[in-house]
């Protein structure tokens, strides 16, 4: 069944996941921060492969094999709060942790949990004279292979 990510997908920041499998416990998820309502836009948050050409003398066709995987440049754009500075302090440059996207919602047993090990590499306010809400963009470096399509723990 088709669905709209808005209203369904949940986005959390977790400071710690102990398991090397990148599957968080419910305690670790509860200790994290749900930023879903503060997010205006997201960019990246995917993997791409760079195939390797493998030509040979037997053919004029250049075949390929799978090459290195790399994460896209990834960021989250938040609405800036006029009194609180939680985005600026909790996600300051150099902060290490995990971004979790519960793509199909945060229902225990559901598939679609993506976990990205990250370091914050930039936290910048957007200044504009346009008629729009104030925003902060946080750029992340994905530091290891993410877990994709995991099961939400119960």
């Amino acid at each position: 069944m088709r669905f709209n990510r808005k209203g369904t997908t949940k986005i959390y920041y977790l400071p710690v996941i102990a398991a090397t499998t990148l599957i968080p416990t419910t305690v670790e998820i509860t200790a994290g921060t749900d930023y879903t309502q503060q997010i205006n836009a997201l960019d990246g948050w995917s993997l791409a492969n760079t195939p390797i050409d493998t030509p040979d003398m037997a053919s004029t066709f250049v075949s390929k094999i799978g090459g290195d995987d790399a994460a896209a440049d990834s960021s989250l754009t938040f609405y800036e709060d006029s009194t609180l500075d939680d985005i600026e302090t909790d996600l300051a440059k150099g902060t290490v942790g995990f971004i979790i996207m519960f793509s199909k919602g945060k229902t225990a047993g559901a598939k679609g949990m993506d976990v990205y090990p990250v370091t914050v590499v930039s936290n910048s306010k957007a200044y504009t004279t346009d008629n729009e809400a104030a925003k902060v963009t946080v750029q992340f470096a994905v530091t290891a292979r993410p877990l994709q399509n995991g099961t939400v723990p119960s």
Side-chain angles (χ1 to χ4, degrees), residues 96-125:
V96 175
F98 303 85
I99 293 293
I100 300 187
M101 309 236 179
F102 298 100
S103 66
K104 296 173 174 50
K106 198 179 129 252
T107 304
K111 296 293 271 182
M113 179 180 69
D114 298 337
V115 180
Y116 294 86
V118 297
T119 298
V120 175
V121 294
S122 171
N123 184 314
S124 301
K125 294 176 179 78

Side-chain angles (χ1 to χ4, degrees), residues 58-74:
S59 174
T60 58
F61 180 79
V62 178
S63 60
K64 295 184 183 239
I65 60 172
D68 292 338
D69 291 331
D73 291 341
S74 300

Side-chain angles (χ1 to χ4, degrees), residues 133-144:
K135 297 176 189 140
V136 176
T137 298
V138 179
Q139 184 180 3
F140 299 87
V142 178
T143 57

